[in-house]
Each structure stands twice: as structure tokens, then as C-alpha cells.
């Protein structure tokens, strides 16, 4: 080994060094200590200097792995030397990680894609984490991108490296929340769930097991990762894990292990030790995605292995614990039997069956406790099955209550204990049900009268049954009587109960009986503390005197303290799930330990209190109750007032809106009334004139009354037509002025617009047509005005005829003839007037149309004018450009003339040249106009 180390250190040829390292690798398994002591430094140097050669790096990593790892040695060594082996691996690991650069170097090598470098690097790093986990974790955590580099191993296409990468991450994430968070946020959940799916879920191999263990590391006691797992919708991806077929025979050991870990993973997310909000959100997600339904299917399936069934019951328990929706669903689940039975009943049958495995019975009890936890509806349903009115008289179906009573009074002490605890959970924090349960009557034997459930429990206690049975019954009685004065009164009403309790407490018994003594002391203390003094013989003061005489206060308090000092009590207080190593250790329930903590101090104080203090306390209690009643009354009044205020506010809002609407309608009606008033005044004036006419003309007015009304209407219509005629004439004048302006603007454009006007000739023709139409309109209006004057003349004639009618004509026949003749003429003239009015209205419509068309024509002409103006501006711009060009040409020509003069060439005078140029320009202008 020494020679090989020298060759590694001194050889210049890479091949020599490689051979030496290969030889050290072969010796490292057998001579682990020697190689580790002598070669470690040289091997680390090789890793630093010979990075270019993957083969020598691979050999060096393998050698270091053999030296540091205990896996190979543990197989060969005996158990007595295992500790020494552990120490050796740990010592070498400590030497290696003393220089933090070595771990950083190893992380760099793990990044290499070469299989011969990456795989041994992963194995070596895993071994280092096994030996000195916290120290190596810390080094990786502080090294840049340390954890991220290792996460890339899960994406490696080579399964060996990927699987060993999972094992490496298992070691890396143990008990380190910071690394767990980094790994989770590096998309670990997605990758691991993909691997589990690829491997076949629960039917997969050991790779699935490793992935599940890693997921447990990431999620257990890590609220941040649990929340991330839920928010990422990964709970939904767990559902396919539990899709078990109908054929459940012949499960492989690996499948059982995988499914067991999968169930544990679900429990990690809904554990009672998690924050309540996080647990509740996970429970809801599991219900909505169908995971709870899938678990209930496994629960009711046949052929499922016992340990999987037990773990499934525990998992379902925690998924429904304290979640009303899930508890309601669980209550509705039926077993696939004939006839169908509720799942709760089927599970309780297993709990009270002594042939069932102990762990299964514990799991069923836990499930029942979780179903009733914070579930008053469920508690009521269970207690209702015990009440006389709801018991099934036919006896075809067994209820939950009947099973609990059967278990409570069976010969099996474990069934007694389980049934008592289950029934206590049905009463937990529910005073109403405690009172209702007092109504339950039991038929003990044929011919004897029925006995109350409370009386039967105390009877069994006094018979001296097994310790486990008595502990269970005492826990049930303590839960039942606590915070329920009526139940205390019922209990004390039996004269045998108090002497039995004092006798039990006063005796000096062995260690086993001490627990029963403590519970008897607690029950007697509850009977004092919650006593309402309704029974004269068992008032608080008398019971205290009895304790003082028979037991002694100090002795009573000492016996009461036996409960909390018991080892099994402290175990039960740790977590809600009943987990006992053997049936004999099944003594205390988790919820009952909470009750003991609550009551122990209170009862101790109550025992030492004097009667005066009790009276004062009662008075204080009464005043507090009164105060509470007053407060609740005022709260109720305030609530009602709030509701009334809300209603009144709504009413005010509706009334204001109605008021606004009504005001709007009122204003409208006021304006309408004003209009009607004006019309009424006009009519009144007209009626006044008509009455005068009636007085002067007598009977003739009666004949011609209708005609005068029509004449007045015709007058009004004529006035309207005059107004409209004036309006139309004004509009026509405006249009004429607009057209004249347009014409003048077109004339002002001058000769520069001649070329563009030729292209717009059609528009001017259109303008001429419009002028012709306007002339026609004027002539029509003149005709109409002539007709209107004619109508006015006829109207005046009619009025003259009406006024000149002689009222003093003696001959009635002549008068009648004249009136009939007048009437006929008037009717004819009215018809003519109506027809003329109709014709005028038609002409008015046609005039409107003509006006509209003329206005549109004006708009078109204005558009054309703006176009012409733009074209004029463009032509001006072009002329300016031409002038600039001409000026340039003039300059050039003058320069050329000067040169020609210098050369002696004869040149024409400037005036001639200019006249010539002017002629050319005129020709160019003519050509442009033609174009």
C-alpha cells in the first residue's frame, strides 16, 4: 500500500498513477483501515489534479467509497464489532470533510455526465451523509448551487444514477427543513410523482418505495412544503395510487410496502399535529378530488391484507377528523352487503369482536373518535340510535348504539373499554346529548324491570370486574357527568353510588387499583363541583364533610393525583391516535386526558373551599349568569336593531328613488297643466265671442254654429301655413346666399384654376341644375302664395255672408231657403279648403325634400371647393419650384455666356435672350394647359 501511494504521488506518467490507484481500489475492501490512513490524502490530490482523465477519477472515488462506507463491512462483520465499523467510517468521513473544499470538489464531480465519474461520486456523497449527516448537509447548504446540482440527478436518463440520486436526496433531506424547502422548490414533487407513475404506482418496485420515503422526508413536519404540495395540485395526483382492482388476492410484499407508505404520506398531510388551517384545506382537497372516496372503497373491499386495511382505517380517520363535509360523506358510505349496512356499523362490529386483531380494533376506535370529533350532528345520530323512540322494533338491522351497548356489557374487557370510550366521544362537549342519554333504558333480564344506562354502568362498577373495564366505565361516567348538573343529580339519586366511591378511595390497595382509586376520586369531585344542591342529602357541603370524615382531604387529593402521574396517562396525552403496545396498556383516552387536566385543579380547590366561600361562589356564579343573560339579551336586541336598521335603510333608498320619480312626473304634469290652462284661456275667449254671436243671431247661430267652428280651425291652419311659407322662404334665401358665395369663390380662383376646372366641369353643370330646381321651387311657392290669398278672399266673403244675414226677415220659408243655400255653399267651400290644405301639405313635403336635396348639393359643392383650393395650392407650389429652377438656369446661362465671351465667341444681347426665353416659357405654358 505504501509503495502504491508513493507511485500515485511521484509518478509523472498518468498510466502509472492510474494503475496504482486501481491497485489501491482492489486492496481497499480487504485492507480498509490501512488504505484509508495512508492513501486518502493522495486520492484527494488525484481528484484535484487529474480531472481530465475520467478513469483515474472513477477509481479514486470508488476507493474512497470503499474506505468510508460501512455497507460492505457490515455484511462481513459480526454484530459485536458493528460499533467499531461505524466508528471507522465516521472517523474517515470526519477526516475527509475537515477540508470543506473536498465536499465542494465532490459536488463538482457529480455534475460530470461520465457514468464512471458520476455514479461513484453519488455513492460516495451518500455514504458521507450517512456517516456525518448534519455536517455534510451544512457544507452542501452553503456551497453555491449545491442542492440544485444534486437535483439534476433525478433527470438523468440512466436509471442507476437516478435511483441512487433518490437515495442521496433521502439522506440529504433528513431533519433539515432548509434543504427540504430548497429541494421542494427545485420541482422535486413533480419529478418524484412522475417516477412513481412511470414505475407503475403501487405495483412498482423498490424505486417507488425510495421515492415515497423521500416525499415523506420533504413533507413531514414541514408546513411550508405541505402548503406548496397542496397549492401545486399534487394531492389530485395521489388518487390513482389507491385504485385497487376487485381481485385482491396474492399481493406482493413490495406492493404492500408501497401502499403502506402511500397511506402514510396521505396521513402526513392531514396529521392532527399540523396547523388546523393547513389540515382542513388538505382534507377538503382530498374530498373534492375523490381521494377519500377511493380510500373508502379500499376500506369496504374484500381480500385486502390486514395491515393495509388497518392503515387505511387510520388514514380515513385523519382525513375526516374535524371536517364536517368529510364526516357527512363517511356517514353515507355503505358496505357492499345484503342488505347494505352503514360503514360505521360494520366497523363497530369489528371493534367489539374479540376475534379481530388488536391493532385493527384500535384503528376502528380511532376512526369512530375522528368521526365524532367536533361533529354534533354525528354525535346526535349515534345517541339517537339508543333512544327508545328510534330503536328498530323488528330487530332486522343492528344500530351503532346497540353495538356500543353490547360491547359495554360484554365479557371481553377490551370491548368494554373501547365501547365506553366510543360512547364518551359521542357525549364530548354536548350537554344536550348527556341529558338525552339519561332516558336510555336497558332490559337486563326477562321479568325484571328495565334499568337506566347510568344505573347499569354503576352496577357493573360495583361488581368488581377487570381493571380495564372499570377504568373505561369510570372515564365514561366522568365525561357524562362533567358540566351536566342533571346527570350529577341522577347519579347521586342512587344511594349506593357515593358510599361505593368513598369506600374505593379510602382503601389502601395495590398499584393496579391506584388508577381506579384516582378515577373514583375524580368522579366524586365532579359530583361535588357540578352539584346544583337539588338533593338535600347530597349537597356540596355534606359531600365535603363526608370526604373529610371518611377519606381526609389530603388523602383525597393524593388519590386524585394518581391519574396524571401514571405512565400510561402521559403516553395517551401525546397524540389523539390510540397506539398501545399490548391490550393491557389500553387504559387512557387522549380526550379524557384533556378533561383531567381541566378538572384536577378545579376539584382540588372546590374540596378545600368552606361553605361560606361556596355560597359566595354560587352568588358570583348567579350574578355572572345574570350578567351573561343581560349581555346575551342586549346582543339579541342589538342584532335585531341592526336588522331593522338595514331594512329601514333599504326602505329609505326605495322611497328616495320613488320620490325622485314622482317629482319628475309632477314637473311633467305641471307643464302639461300650464299648457291646458293656456288652451283653456284661448277657448274661453273664443267661446265668449261665440256667445255674443249667439245672442245677436239667435236661431241662425244654432244652424251655423258648427260652420263657424270649422271656419276658425281653417283660420288657424292658414296662419300655420303662412308661418311655414315664411320659414321656407327664409331657408331658400339662405341657400341662395350660400350658392352665390360658392359661385363668387369659384370665379375668384382665376386663370390658374382653368386646367383643374375643366376636370370639374360636371360639378358646375350639377350646380346649374340645382339653380334651375331652385327657380322652379320659387315659382311653386309663388303659386302657393296666390292660392293662399285666394283662400283668404273666400274666407272674408264667407264672413261677410255670415254677418250680412238679415235676422228680421218675416218670411220663414225664405229664411230657411237662404240658410240651406248658405249651408250648401259653405260645405262645398269647406271641402275645397280641405282639399287645398291637403295639397298644400303635400307640396310642403315635396319642398322639404327639395330643401334636403339642395342642402346635400351645397355640401357636395363645398367639398369640391375645398378640393379645388387644395389643387390651387399644389399648382402654386409647383410654380414656385419652376421659378427656382428657372433662376438656376439663368445663372448657368450667364456663366456660360461669360465663358464664351472669354473664348471670343459672339454672344447675343441679354434683352434678346430674355425675350427668347419668355417666348419659350409661353410655349411651355400653353403645352401644360393642353395637357
Amino acid at each position: 500500500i505504501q509503495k502504491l501511494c508513493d507511485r500515485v504521488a511521484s509518478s509523472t506518467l498518468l498510466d502509472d498513477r492510474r494503475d496504482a490507484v486501481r491497485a489501491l481500489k482492489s486492496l481497499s475492501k480487504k485492507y480498509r483501515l490501512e488504505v484509508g490512513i495512508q492513501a486518502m490524502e493522495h486520492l484527494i490530490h488525484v481528484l484535484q489534479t487529474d480531472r481530465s482523465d475520467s478513469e483515474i477519477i472513477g477509481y479514486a472515488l470508488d476507493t474512497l467509497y470503499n474506505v468510508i462506507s460501512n455497507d460492505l463491512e457490515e455484511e462481513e462483520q459480526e454484530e459485536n464489532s458493528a460499533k467499531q465499523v461505524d466508528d471507522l467510517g465516521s472517523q474517515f468521513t470526519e477526516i475527509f470533510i475537515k477540508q470543506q473544499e473536498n465536499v465542494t470538489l465532490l459536488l463538482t464531480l457529480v455534475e460530470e455526465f461520465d457514468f464512471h465519474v458520476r455514479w461513484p461520486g453519488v455513492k460516495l456523497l451518500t455514504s458521507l451523509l450517512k456517516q456525518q449527516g448534519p455536517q455534510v448537509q451544512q457544507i452542501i447548504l452553503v456551497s453555491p448551487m449545491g442542492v440544485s446540482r444534486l437535483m439534476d440527478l433525478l433527470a438523468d436518463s440512466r436509471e442507476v444514477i437516478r435511483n441512487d440520486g433518490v437515495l442521496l436526496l433521502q439522506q440529504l433531506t433528513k431533519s433539515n427543513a432548509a434543504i427540504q424547502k430548497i429541494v421542494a422548490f427545485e420541482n422535486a414533487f413533480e419529478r418524484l410523482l412522475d417516477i412513481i407513475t412511470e414505475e407503475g404506482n403501487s405495483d412498482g418496485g423498490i424505486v417507488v418505495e425510495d421515492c415515497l420515503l423521500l416525499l415523506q422526508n420533504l413533507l413531514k413536519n414541514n408546513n411550508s412544503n405541505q402548503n406548496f404540495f397542496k397549492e401545486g395540485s399534487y394531492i389530485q395526483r395521489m388518487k390513482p395510487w389507491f385504485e385497487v382492482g376487485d381481485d385482491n388476492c396474492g399481493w406482493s410484499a413490495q406492493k404492500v410496502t408501497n401502499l403502506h407508505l402511500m397511506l402514510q404520506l396521505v396521513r402526513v398531510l392531514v396529521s392532527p399535529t399540523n396547523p388546523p388551517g393547513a389540515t382542513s384545506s388538505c382534507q377538503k382537497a382530498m374530498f373534492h378530488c375523490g381521494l377519500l372516496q377511493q380510500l373508502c372503497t379500499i376500506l369496504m373491499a374484500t381480500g385486502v391484507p390486514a395491515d393495509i386495511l388497518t392503515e387505511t382505517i387510520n388514514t380515513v380517520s385523519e382525513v375526516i377528523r374535524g371536517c364536517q363535509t368529510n364526516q357527512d360523506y363517511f356517514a353515507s358510505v355503505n358496505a357492499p352487503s345484503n342488505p347494505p349496512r352503514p360503514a360505521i356499523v360494520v366497523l363497530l362490529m369489528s371493534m367489539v369482536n374479540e376475534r379481530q386483531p388488536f391493532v385493527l380494533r384500535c384503528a376502528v376506535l380511532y376512526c369512530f373518535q375522528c368521526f365524532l370529533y367536533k361533529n354534533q350532528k354525528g354525535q346526535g345520530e349515534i345517541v339517537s340510535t339508543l333512544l327508545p323512540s328510534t330503536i328498530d322494533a323488528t330487530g332486522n338491522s343492528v344500530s351503532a348504539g346497540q353495538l356500543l351497548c353490547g360491547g359495554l356489557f360484554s365479557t371481553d374487557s377490551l370491548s368494554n373499554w373501547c365501547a365506553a370510550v366510543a360512547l364518551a366521544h359521542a357525549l364530548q362537549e354536548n350537554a344536550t346529548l348527556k341529558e338525552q342519554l339519561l332516558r336510555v333504558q336497558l332490559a337486563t333480564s326477562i321479568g325484571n324491570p328495565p334499568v337506566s344506562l347510568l344505573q347499569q354502568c354503576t352496577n357493573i362498577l360495583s361488581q368488581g370486574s377487570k381493571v380495564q373495564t372499570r377504568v373505561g366505565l369510570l372515564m365514561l361516567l366522568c365525561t357524562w357527568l362533567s358540566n351536566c348538573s342533571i346527570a350529577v343529580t341522577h347519579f347521586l339519586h342512587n344511594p349506593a353510588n357515593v358510599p361505593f366511591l368513598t369506600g374505593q378511595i379510602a382503601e389502601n390497595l395495590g398499584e393496579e387499583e391506584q388508577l381506579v382509586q384516582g378515577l373514583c376520586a375524580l368522579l366524586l369531585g365532579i359530583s361535588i363541583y357540578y352539584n346544583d344542591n337539588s338533593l338535600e342529602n347530597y349537597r356540596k357541603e355534606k359531600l365535603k364533610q363526608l370526604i373529610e370524615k371518611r377519606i381526609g382531604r389530603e388523602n383525597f387529593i393524593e388519590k386524585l393525583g394518581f391519574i396524571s402521574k401514571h405512565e400510561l396517562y402521559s403516553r395517551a396525552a401525546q397524540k389523539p391516535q390510540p397506539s398501545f403496545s399490548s391490550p393491557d396498556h389500553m387504559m387512557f383516552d387522549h380526550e379524557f386526558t384533556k378533561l383531567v387536566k381541566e378538572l384536577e385543579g378545579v376539584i382540588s380547590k372546590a374540596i378545600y373551599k368552606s361553605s361560606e366561600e361556596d355560597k359566595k361562589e354560587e352568588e358570583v356564579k348567579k350574578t355572572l349568569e345574570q350578567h351573561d343573560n343581560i349581555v346575551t339579551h342586549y346582543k339579541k336586541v342589538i342584532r335585531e336593531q341592526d336588522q331593522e336598521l338595514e331594512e329601514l335603510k333599504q326602505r329609505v333608498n326605495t322611497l328616495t328613488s320613488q320620490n325622485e320619480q314622482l317629482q319628475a312626473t309632477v314637473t311633467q304634469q305641471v307643464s302639461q297643466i300650464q299648457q291646458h290652462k293656456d288652451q283653456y284661456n284661448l277657448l274661453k275667449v273664443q267661446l265668449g265671442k261665440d256667445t255674443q254671436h249667439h245672442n245677436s243671431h239667435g236661431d241662425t247661430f244654432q244652424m251655423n254654429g258648427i260652420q263657424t267652428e270649422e271656419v276658425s280651425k281653417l283660420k288657424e291652419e292658414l296662419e300655420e301655413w303662412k308661418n311655414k311659407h315664411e320659414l321656407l322662404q327664409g331657408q331658400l334665401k339662405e341657400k341662395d346666399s350660400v350658392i352665390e358665395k360658392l359661385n363668387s369663390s369659384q370665379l375668384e380662383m382665376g386663370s390658374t384654376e382653368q386646367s383643374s376646372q375643366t376636370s370639374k366641369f360636371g360639378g358646375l353643370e350639377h350646380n346649374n341644375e340645382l339653380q334651375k330646381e331652385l327657380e322652379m321651387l320659387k315659382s311653386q311657392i309663388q303659386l302657393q302664395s296666390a292660392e293662399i290669398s285666394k283662400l283668404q278672399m273666400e274666407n272674408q266673403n264667407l264672413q261677410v255672408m255670415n254677418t250680412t244675414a238679415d235676422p228680421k226677415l218675416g218670411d220663414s220659408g225664405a229664411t230657411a231657403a237662404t240658410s240651406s243655400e248658405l249651408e250648401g255653399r259653405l260645405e262645398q267651400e269647406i271641402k275645397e279648403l280641405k282639399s287645398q290644405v291637403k295639397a298644400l301639405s303635400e307640396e310642403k313635403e315635396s319642398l322639404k325634400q327639395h330643401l334636403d336635396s339642395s342642402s346635400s348639393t351645397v355640401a357636395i359643392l363645398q367639398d369640391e371647393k375645398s378640393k379645388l383650393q387644395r389643387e390651387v395650392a399644389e399648382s402654386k407650389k409647383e410654380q414656385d419650384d419652376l421659378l427656382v429652377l428657372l433662376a438656376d438656369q439663368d445663372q448657368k446661362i450667364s456663366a456660360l455666356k461669360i465663358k464664351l465671351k472669354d473664348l471670343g465667341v459672339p454672344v447675343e444681347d441679354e434683352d434678346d435672350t430674355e425675350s427668347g426665353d419668355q417666348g419659350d416659357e409661353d410655349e411651355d405654358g400653353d403645352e401644360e394647359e393642353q395637357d
Side-chain angles (χ1 to χ4, degrees):
I1 291 166
Q2 185 60 51
K3 284 178 182 177
L4 290 169
C5 289
D6 291 342
R7 278 178 63 191
V8 171
S10 60
S11 292
T12 52
L13 289 173
L14 180 61
D15 292 341
D16 291 344
R17 291 201 302 278
R18 190 189 302 126
D19 293 340
V21 174
R22 190 192 293 119
L24 283 169
K25 178 193 166 186
S26 60
L27 291 167
S28 61
K29 289 180 183 178
K30 194 173 181 181
Y31 303 103
R32 180 181 172 194
L33 180 62
E34 291 81 0
V35 172
I37 291 166
Q38 296 179 44
M40 185 175 279
E41 192 179 335
H42 300 298
L43 292 169
I44 292 167
H45 185 69
V46 166
L47 293 178
Q48 291 169 343
T49 54
D50 291 327
R51 289 279 300 278
S52 57
D53 186 55
S54 60
E55 202 173 345
I56 193 170
I57 295 290
Y59 292 143
L61 289 169
D62 280 331
T63 311
L64 286 168
Y65 172 72
N66 292 340
V67 168
I68 287 167
S69 174
N70 292 326
D71 298 344
L72 298 167
E73 290 291 330
E74 280 171 1
E75 294 172 8
E76 298 169 9
Q77 295 287 339
E78 295 176 3
E79 288 181 7
N80 55 7
S81 62
K83 191 177 180 185
Q84 183 187 345
V85 169
D86 287 344
D87 289 344
L88 195 61
S90 182
Q91 285 167 11
F92 282 134
T93 304
E94 206 170 326
I95 293 164
F96 185 84
I97 65 170
K98 193 174 277 184
Q99 299 294 326
Q100 290 191 8
E101 296 81 13
N102 295 342
V103 179
T104 312
L105 175 65
L106 193 54
L107 287 171
T108 313
L109 291 170
V110 166
E111 275 190 296
E112 295 287 337
F113 186 73
D114 194 314
F115 182 82
H116 297 291
V117 176
R118 197 172 208 183
W119 188 42
V122 169
K123 289 197 295 179
L124 176 57
L125 196 52
T126 308
S127 188
L128 291 171
L129 283 160
K130 279 182 184 175
Q131 302 296 340
Q132 297 282 343
Q135 293 90 326
V136 180
Q137 283 175 342
Q138 202 56 39
I139 295 165
I140 292 170
L141 196 58
V142 297
S143 68
M145 298 292 289
V147 179
S148 302
R149 292 182 205 174
L150 299 178
M151 281 302 298
D152 293 337
L153 296 170
L154 293 181
D156 200 304
S157 56
R158 295 158 297 194
E159 285 193 12
V160 179
I161 292 176
R162 184 198 70 185
N163 299 345
D164 279 350
V166 172
L167 295 172
L168 168 58
L169 289 168
Q170 270 183 34
Q171 297 298 327
L172 182 67
T173 53
K174 270 185 183 175
S175 309
N176 193 311
I179 291 176
Q180 287 166 5
K181 286 179 186 176
I182 295 167
V183 170
F185 282 98
E186 288 281 349
N187 209 20
F189 293 137
E190 186 79 36
R191 292 183 187 179
L192 290 170
L193 291 169
D194 286 343
I195 293 168
I196 291 168
T197 308
E198 286 167 18
E199 294 290 325
N201 294 331
S202 60
D203 294 317
I206 198 165
V207 179
V208 172
E209 182 184 341
D210 291 336
C211 289
L212 291 167
L213 287 168
L214 176 52
L215 282 169
Q216 274 195 24
N217 281 0
L218 295 173
L219 292 170
K220 201 166 189 177
N221 301 323
N222 193 318
N223 299 328
S224 170
N225 281 5
Q226 286 173 9
N227 189 47
F228 182 63
F229 192 84
K230 180 187 73 69
E231 295 295 332
S233 302
Y234 296 118
I235 289 174
Q236 287 83 328
R237 292 188 62 179
M238 295 167 81
K239 189 194 169 190
W241 295 355
F242 305 105
E243 289 173 358
V244 179
D246 297 328
D247 184 20
N248 291 320
C249 57
W251 285 32
S252 66
Q254 188 62 56
K255 182 171 182 176
V256 171
T257 307
N258 290 347
L259 207 54
H260 206 273
L261 287 168
M262 286 168 176
L263 291 165
Q264 283 181 354
L265 198 62
V266 174
R267 289 185 67 185
V268 163
L269 293 168
V270 290
S271 171
T273 56
N274 293 347
T279 301
S280 175
S281 58
C282 287
Q283 286 172 332
K284 286 173 186 171
M286 286 174 185
F287 174 74
H288 290 304
C289 76
L291 181 58
L292 174 59
Q293 293 84 327
Q294 203 66 48
L295 291 170
C296 289
T297 308
I298 297 174
L299 200 68
M300 295 291 112
T302 53
V304 178
D307 53 346
I308 292 296
L309 185 60
T310 306
E311 191 61 27
T312 305
I313 293 168
N314 286 327
T315 307
V316 169
S317 308
E318 291 182 355
V319 173
I320 66 171
R321 188 176 189 269
C323 181
Q324 189 67 53
T325 312
N326 295 8
Q327 288 165 338
D328 291 345
Y329 170 75
F330 184 68
S332 69
V333 174
N334 285 322
S337 58
N338 192 17
R341 285 176 177 166
I344 296 167
V345 172
V346 175
L347 290 171
L348 286 175
M349 287 168 79
S350 302
M351 187 183 78
V352 297
N353 185 352
E354 56 188 298
R355 289 193 297 275
Q356 292 292 345
F358 172 64
V359 286
L360 181 66
R361 294 173 78 180
C362 288
V364 172
L365 176 62
Y366 185 44
C367 187
F368 192 70
Q369 289 174 352
C370 290
F371 170 66
L372 296 176
Y373 183 70
K374 293 184 179 178
N375 182 10
Q376 292 197 341
K377 182 184 171 187
Q379 287 176 324
E381 286 170 359
I382 296 297
V383 171
S384 68
T385 58
L386 285 163
L387 298 176
S389 58
T390 55
I391 292 171
D392 186 7
T394 58
N396 292 334
S397 61
V398 182
S399 68
Q402 288 170 320
L403 285 168
L404 289 174
C405 282
L408 200 60
F409 308 123
S410 75
T411 53
D412 177 33
S413 62
L414 191 61
S415 294
N416 302 154
W417 191 91
C418 289
V421 169
L423 204 52
H425 274 263
L427 303 174
Q428 203 81 39
E429 297 176 4
N430 200 325
T432 312
L433 295 181
K434 288 176 183 177
E435 292 174 18
Q436 284 188 6
L437 203 63
L438 296 167
R439 292 165 48 206
V440 175
Q441 301 288 318
L442 302 171
T444 51
S445 57
I446 300 165
N448 292 332
V451 181
S452 72
L453 178 62
L454 186 69
Q455 183 61 48
Q456 185 63 14
C457 290
T458 53
N459 289 347
I460 293 168
L461 267 178
S462 60
Q463 287 168 10
S465 51
K466 288 182 182 178
V467 173
Q468 195 173 38
T469 303
R470 282 183 287 160
V471 168
L473 288 168
L474 283 165
M475 284 198 295
L476 171 60
L477 289 169
C478 289
T479 307
W480 194 347
L481 268 60
S482 66
N483 210 14
C484 184
S485 302
I486 299 167
V488 170
T489 307
H490 275 72
F491 178 75
L492 295 173
H493 198 269
N494 186 349
N497 286 344
V498 174
F500 167 73
L501 290 176
T502 53
Q504 286 284 315
I505 299 162
E507 286 181 23
N508 288 318
L509 302 169
E511 285 186 12
E512 287 185 359
E513 292 295 327
Q514 282 184 350
L515 194 54
V516 176
Q517 284 184 319
L519 289 166
C520 287
L522 180 68
L523 186 57
L524 188 57
I526 288 167
S527 302
I528 293 168
Y529 186 70
Y530 291 106
N531 193 340
D532 60 356
N533 294 329
S534 57
L535 295 172
E536 187 60 36
N537 294 334
Y538 295 105
R539 294 172 68 84
K540 282 185 179 182
E541 192 56 39
K542 288 190 176 180
L543 288 171
K544 284 182 195 176
Q545 289 170 3
L546 188 68
I547 288 169
E548 183 65 38
K549 286 178 185 176
R550 296 274 179 90
I551 305 162
R553 287 180 185 175
E554 288 80 9
N555 193 20
F556 179 85
I557 299 299
E558 186 188 347
K559 296 288 172 75
L560 186 63
F562 283 164
I563 302 171
S564 56
K565 288 173 186 172
H566 204 282
E567 183 190 352
L568 296 174
Y569 172 89
S570 55
R571 276 192 206 169
Q574 287 171 3
K575 58 178 181 177
Q577 185 185 355
S579 55
F580 307 101
S581 53
S582 69
D584 298 335
H585 292 158
M586 208 169 191
M587 288 293 174
F588 284 109
D589 171 54
H590 178 75
E591 290 297 322
F592 181 72
T593 59
K594 292 180 182 177
L595 184 70
V596 172
K597 280 179 190 172
E598 185 187 326
L599 293 176
E600 192 175 11
V602 176
I603 290 167
S604 301
K605 286 178 185 175
I607 295 299
Y608 281 105
K609 277 178 186 172
S610 62
S611 56
E612 291 176 2
E613 286 176 343
D614 278 338
K615 283 177 184 176
K616 283 179 183 177
E617 194 176 326
E618 282 177 10
E619 285 174 7
V620 169
K621 275 185 181 176
K622 282 178 183 177
T623 52
L624 283 170
E625 281 175 7
Q626 287 173 358
H627 177 71
D628 287 342
N629 290 334
I630 291 163
V631 168
T632 49
H633 171 69
Y634 278 122
K635 279 182 179 176
K636 190 178 178 183
V637 168
I638 288 163
R639 203 175 292 114
E640 287 172 359
Q641 286 177 348
D642 284 340
Q643 287 176 354
E644 286 175 9
L645 271 171
E646 285 297 320
E647 288 172 5
L648 287 168
K649 280 179 183 177
Q650 289 175 357
R651 284 181 65 187
V652 164
N653 290 331
T654 51
L655 286 168
T656 49
S657 61
Q658 286 176 4
N659 186 23
E660 287 171 1
Q661 290 174 0
L662 288 168
Q663 280 181 346
T665 51
V666 163
T667 50
Q668 285 178 359
Q669 286 173 355
V670 164
S671 63
Q672 287 175 2
I673 287 163
Q674 191 60 44
Q675 287 175 4
H676 289 311
K677 276 183 180 178
D678 296 340
Q679 289 175 3
Y680 172 72
N681 290 328
L682 282 167
L683 289 167
K684 200 173 180 183
V685 171
Q686 288 177 359
L687 280 168
K689 289 178 181 177
D690 290 342
T691 49
Q692 288 173 6
H693 185 69
H694 177 69
N695 291 331
S696 60
H697 294 93
D699 295 333
T700 314
F701 177 77
Q702 288 177 355
M703 291 164 65
N704 299 327
I706 300 162
Q707 294 168 3
T708 53
E709 284 177 15
E710 287 183 0
V711 167
S712 62
K713 282 181 184 175
L714 284 168
K715 279 181 181 178
E716 287 173 8
E717 284 180 4
L718 282 168
E719 287 295 323
E720 283 179 10
W721 280 113
K722 279 181 183 177
N723 293 335
K724 286 174 184 175
H725 177 65
E726 288 171 3
L727 256 172
L728 288 167
Q729 279 185 334
Q731 287 177 355
L732 275 170
K733 284 176 183 176
E734 285 176 7
K735 300 293 180 188
D736 286 341
S737 63
V738 169
I739 289 163
E740 283 171 5
K741 282 178 184 175
L742 284 169
N743 287 332
S744 61
S745 64
Q746 284 170 358
L747 290 168
E748 284 171 4
M749 286 180 187
S751 59
T752 53
E753 294 182 8
Q754 284 177 3
S755 59
S756 58
Q757 279 176 350
T758 52
S759 61
K760 299 291 182 290
F761 187 72
L764 291 171
E765 285 180 355
H766 186 61
N767 191 12
N768 293 329
E769 287 175 7
L770 283 170
Q771 284 179 342
K772 288 175 184 177
E773 283 179 8
L774 282 169
E775 290 296 327
M776 284 168 67
L777 285 168
K778 282 179 184 178
S779 61
Q780 284 176 1
I781 287 163
Q782 285 172 0
L783 285 167
Q784 283 175 358
S785 61
E787 285 176 1
I788 287 163
S789 60
K790 185 181 174 185
L791 284 167
Q792 284 174 343
M793 288 289 291
E794 286 176 357
N795 190 17
Q796 285 172 2
N797 291 332
L798 284 167
Q799 284 176 348
V800 170
M801 284 167 70
N802 281 330
T803 51
T804 53
D806 191 5
K808 294 179 181 180
L809 286 171
D811 194 359
S812 61
T815 308
T818 311
S819 63
S820 62
E821 190 181 345
L822 279 166
E823 197 172 353
R825 282 179 64 189
L826 277 167
E827 281 178 3
Q828 191 176 356
E829 286 175 358
I830 284 162
K831 282 179 184 176
E832 286 176 3
L833 282 167
K834 280 182 179 177
S835 62
Q836 287 173 359
V837 166
K838 192 176 179 182
L840 282 167
S841 64
E842 287 173 359
E843 284 175 4
K844 175 196 165 189
E845 288 297 322
S846 64
L847 277 169
K848 272 187 178 178
Q849 289 175 2
H850 283 301
L851 276 169
D852 291 339
S853 64
S854 63
S855 61
S856 63
T857 310
V858 167
I860 291 161
L861 286 168
Q862 283 178 342
D863 289 341
E864 287 175 355
K865 177 190 169 184
S866 61
K867 284 179 187 176
L868 287 168
Q869 284 174 344
R870 284 199 296 272
E871 285 175 2
V872 167
E874 285 173 4
S875 63
K876 281 181 179 178
K877 191 180 176 184
E878 284 174 4
Q879 283 177 355
D880 291 340
D881 293 340
L882 284 167
L883 286 169
V884 171
L885 285 169
L886 286 168
D888 290 341
Q889 283 178 356
D890 285 340
Q891 286 177 0
K892 287 177 184 178
I893 288 163
S894 60
L896 286 168
K897 279 179 181 178
I898 291 162
K899 283 182 183 179
L900 287 168
K901 281 179 182 178
D902 291 340
L903 292 167
V905 178
V907 180
E908 293 178 4
D909 293 332
E910 256 182 44
D911 295 334
D912 298 336
T913 310
E914 281 176 7
S915 63
D917 291 340
Q918 187 64 44
D920 293 337
E921 281 176 14
D922 292 339
E923 285 174 9
D924 292 337
D926 293 337
E927 283 173 6
E928 282 175 10
E929 283 177 7
Q930 285 171 8
D931 292 339

